[in-house]
Amino acid sequence: MTGPLKKVIIVGAGPSGLLLALRLAQQHIKVTIFEATPAPSDQPRATHYGIPAVWELRRAGVLEEMRKDPECFQFDVMCWRKLDGTYLSGMDTRDLNRPGKPYDDRITVLTLNKVIKVLGEMVAKCEDATVKYGYKVLAGVEQDEEKAWVTVQSQDGTVEKHWADYIVGCDGASSQIRRSLFGDMEFPGYTWDHQIVATNTYYDFHKYGWEDSNFIVHPEHSFMAARIGATEPLWRVTYTEVNGLTNEEILARQAKKFEIMLPGHPKPGDYKVILTSPYKIHQRCATSFRVGRYLLAADAAHLCNPFGGLGLTGGIVDVGGLADCLIGIHQGKTSDKILDEYSRVRIEKYKTIIDPISSENFRRLWDQDPEKALEKDEFLKLLKNNEGNVELSSQMQLGSLGILHDFSASFDGNKPAGSLSEKVDISAVTVTPVVN
Ligand SMILES: Cc1cc2nc3c(=O)[nH]c(=O)nc-3n(C[C@H](O)[C@H](O)[C@H](O)COP(=O)(O)OP(=O)(O)OC[C@H]3O[C@@H](n4cnc5c(N)ncnc54)[C@H](O)[C@@H]3O)c2cc1C
C-alpha cells in the first residue's frame, strides 16, 4: 500500500507511543493512542537518553522542550569504581564539546515522568492526535487487505472496535499486541538471575568526589549512582539484588546495603530515599516487528537491562525509524515493504548492538574480580587508554550513533525533512557502547 494514510492507532501512551504520535501528527497523519491507565505513569524508570535518542528527540522538537525543565542537563563524566570508591576508568562527555568539536547533543538526563509530560503536552497541541486515557486494548488481532482492528475497553466497561491503516504496539514489556500476534509466552530471550532495585535518593555523592555517573564493580554489591537532579542532590541509585526477595525483604535490607555501598557509609537519616522499585530484568526480542498491519516498537518489541542505557534509547530510535517509514508511505515515497525493512533492521540492531552491549555492561558490574578489572576488562582498558585524548573519546561516544538507521535512504522520492543521512554520516562511525 502507498498513499495517504487515513489513520494510525498506537497502543500505549508511554514515551515511545507519544513520540510516535507526535512525529506522525506533525506530518498531519491522524493518530489515536489508546492508553490503559487513567493517567501518565510515574514509575522510576529511564533517566538518561543516549546520543542517538537525543538526535531523535531534537528532530521531533522534543529536546528543546525538555531543556526548558530546570532539572534537565547533560552530564559530564561517567566512570567505573571499586566498592571502596577507587576510580578505575571513565569517559568525559565534554570531550564532544572541546574546541573544534561542536557536538552539543550529549547524553541528556531528565526523569521519564517529566519526558512523558513534555511529550504529552506536545501531542495535546497537535490537531491530528488524540490520546484516550483509560482505554485498554483487549486480546485479539483482526486485519484484511485495507484495515486492521483493535478491541478496546473503556473504564466504564464499554467495549468498542476501532480500525486503522496500521496499529502500532507501543504497549511496553507485557505488550498485548505482541501477545495477540505471537502468543502469551512467545518473547524469545531470557530473564537475568539478578533483580535490580531502582531508587531515587537524596545524597551528596559529589561531596565524596564522585562523578555524575558511577558504576561500582563488585560481585555482591554492584550498583550505579547517577545524578538525576540538576539543581538538587537527587541521584538514581540502582543496585543488584538476589532474585526471589519480596518487596518487604528488599526494603528491610536497604539500609544495610546503602551503608555498605554508598561513599561515607551513611546511616538512614543521612540520606533520603523517595522512591524504591524492584524490577526483574530481561534480554528479549520479538521474532518480527511486523505482522501485516500490526507493528511493534520499543519495549513491546525488545527488552534489555537498563545498565546499557539502551532500553528507551533503542526504543526512541525504533520510533524515529518507524515514523520515517509511515510518513514515507503516507507521502507516496515508498511502499509498505519498507515496514519489512523496519522489522529486519531493528531486529538486527538489537541482536548485534543493543543486546550484546547492554549484557556486557551489566555483567561487567558483578561478573569479574574488581581487583583485576583494569587488566582484564577490554572496555575499561579502552576507556583508560582514551582518557585525555579528545579525539578517541569523541569517536567512541559518537560510535553509539551506530544504532540509527536511515530508512529514507530506500525511498523513491525525496527524503522526509530532517532525515538521518542529511545530518549524520553513520557510515563513518563505529559501534561502541553508551552507558547510563
Ligand atoms: C530502573 C530502570 C531504569 C531505566 N533507565 C533507562 C535509561 O536511563 N535510559 C534508557 O534508555 N532506558 C532506561 N530504561 C528503560 C525504559 O524505561 C523503557 O525502555 C521505556 O520506559 C519503554 O517505553 P515504552 O513506551 O516502550 O513502554 P512503557 O513505558 O512501558 O509504556 C507502555 C504503555 O502502554 C500501556 N499499555 C500496556 N498495555 C496496554 C493495553 N493493553 N492497552 C492500552 N495501553 C496499554 C501502559 O500502561 C504504558 O503506559 C530503564 C528501565 C528501568 C526499569
Side-chain angles (χ1 to χ4, degrees):
M1 171 191 172
T2 320
L5 299 177
K6 293 186 195 74
K7 200 201 299 174
V8 171
I9 286 176
I10 297 170
V11 185
S16 63
L18 287 167
L19 180 63
L20 181 60
L22 179 66
R23 284 285 319 278
L24 299 182
Q26 283 169 340
Q27 297 300 321
H28 306 294
I29 297 174
K30 289 215 176 310
V31 50
T32 302
I33 305 187
F34 291 111
E35 165 56 50
T37 62
S41 158
D42 213 13
Q43 277 190 316
R45 295 196 291 164
T47 48
H48 290 59
Y49 311 97
I51 295 172
V54 176
W55 187 86
E56 287 290 356
L57 292 166
R58 177 181 282 291
R59 74 169 169 149
V62 179
L63 185 66
E64 208 183 328
E65 294 304 310
M66 282 167 62
R67 285 184 172 173
K68 288 181 186 163
D69 190 311
E71 296 305 327
C72 182
F73 66 99
Q74 307 192 82
F75 80 86
D76 292 341
V77 175
M78 74 172 81
C79 72
W80 279 256
R81 297 177 184 277
K82 295 198 283 188
L83 186 60
D84 65 6
T86 310
Y87 177 94
L88 292 167
S89 62
M91 184 167 80
D92 192 334
T93 72
R94 290 167 301 188
D95 288 338
L96 289 168
N97 299 147
R98 306 277 182 222
K101 303 243 168 262
Y103 200 90
D104 190 35
D105 289 348
R106 297 190 275 144
I107 300 173
T108 295
V109 185
L110 187 64
T111 52
L112 186 58
N113 57 325
K114 292 186 165 191
V115 176
I116 289 176
K117 185 164 177 282
V118 166
L119 284 165
E121 285 167 2
M122 291 181 77
V123 169
K125 286 186 191 144
C126 296
E127 268 182 20
D128 291 301
T130 309
V131 188
K132 292 175 119 20
Y133 285 99
Y135 285 78
K136 182 178 180 183
V137 168
L138 303 179
V141 283
E142 187 184 338
Q143 57 181 321
D144 66 15
E145 293 287 295
E146 298 194 346
K147 292 185 180 106
W149 287 264
V150 276
T151 307
V152 180
Q153 184 170 38
S154 64
Q155 286 196 309
D156 65 9
T158 313
V159 174
E160 298 164 356
K161 246 174 148 181
H162 292 267
W163 66 268
D165 298 287
Y166 292 103
I167 293 172
V168 187
C170 288
D171 45 347
S174 309
S175 169
Q176 180 60 69
I177 295 294
R178 187 191 66 242
R179 287 185 289 125
S180 296
L181 291 172
F182 300 109
D184 280 346
M185 306 309 287
E186 198 48 42
F187 197 9
Y190 63 92
T191 301
W192 290 91
D193 284 339
H194 296 77
Q195 63 176 318
I196 60 166
V197 181
T199 74
N200 286 357
T201 301
Y202 283 101
Y203 190 61
D204 193 355
F205 288 80
H206 281 161
K207 194 172 111 187
Y208 297 91
W210 282 36
E211 305 292 355
D212 283 348
S213 282
N214 308 268
F215 295 87
I216 283 53
V217 180
H218 192 270
E220 192 185 348
H221 299 296
S222 59
F223 72 102
M224 176 197 82
R227 179 166 73 101
I228 57 172
T231 65
E232 49 176 9
L234 184 60
W235 290 65
R236 169 63 55 81
V237 178
T238 302
Y239 55 97
T240 49
E241 263 289 15
V242 280
N243 260 347
L245 295 176
T246 62
N247 286 3
E248 291 70 33
E249 287 167 330
I250 285 170
L251 286 176
R253 286 161 58 96
Q254 194 172 63
K256 190 74 204 155
K257 289 281 287 181
F258 272 36
E259 190 176 342
I260 295 169
M261 296 185 316
L262 270 45
H265 305 293
K267 303 270 187 211
D270 297 335
Y271 54 83
K272 188 172 166 199
V273 179
I274 55 166
L275 269 174
T276 295
S277 199
Y279 292 95
K280 282 200 165 53
I281 46 173
H282 319 266
Q283 304 291 131
R284 295 184 186 276
C285 184
T287 44
S288 177
F289 296 179
R290 180 192 187 191
V291 178
R293 296 178 173 280
Y294 292 89
L295 297 147
L296 296 173
D299 274 20
H302 51 79
L303 296 174
C304 66
N305 76 82
F307 291 97
L310 287 165
L312 184 52
T313 295
I316 286 174
V317 170
D318 286 351
V319 161
L322 181 55
D324 283 347
C325 293
L326 291 172
I327 293 165
I329 294 170
H330 181 67
Q331 295 175 346
K333 292 177 180 164
T334 186
S335 79
D336 71 344
K337 288 199 174 50
I338 195 75
L339 297 173
D340 293 328
E341 195 177 333
Y342 160 77
S343 172
R344 183 186 62 74
V345 170
R346 293 312 324 159
I347 289 174
E348 188 185 300
K349 296 283 187 190
Y350 175 84
K351 291 194 169 162
T352 58
I353 305 176
I354 292 175
D355 180 37
I357 289 179
S358 61
S359 300
E360 272 304 291
N361 283 339
F362 189 36
R363 274 200 203 93
R364 169 166 303 114
L365 295 184
W366 45 265
D367 196 17
Q368 65 174 328
D369 178 354
E371 299 306 324
K372 300 209 172 110
L374 267 189
E375 284 164 50
K376 299 212 162 156
D377 186 314
E378 293 302 327
F379 176 65
L380 294 185
K381 277 160 66 179
L382 185 65
L383 289 180
K384 197 84 200 160
N385 181 55
N386 291 355
E387 277 176 16
N389 186 326
V390 172
E391 199 51 51
L392 289 179
S393 167
S394 302
Q395 265 176 29
M396 178 164 198
Q397 294 180 52
L398 290 177
S400 62
L401 288 165
I403 66 165
L404 292 167
H405 178 81
D406 186 1
F407 291 97
S408 67
S410 313
F411 291 1
D412 308 329
N414 296 331
K415 300 177 196 317
S419 80
L420 175 59
S421 56
E422 286 163 21
K423 307 255 179 183
V424 181
D425 179 7
I426 54 169
S427 62
V429 295
T430 52
V431 174
T432 46
V434 281
V435 189
N436 79 299

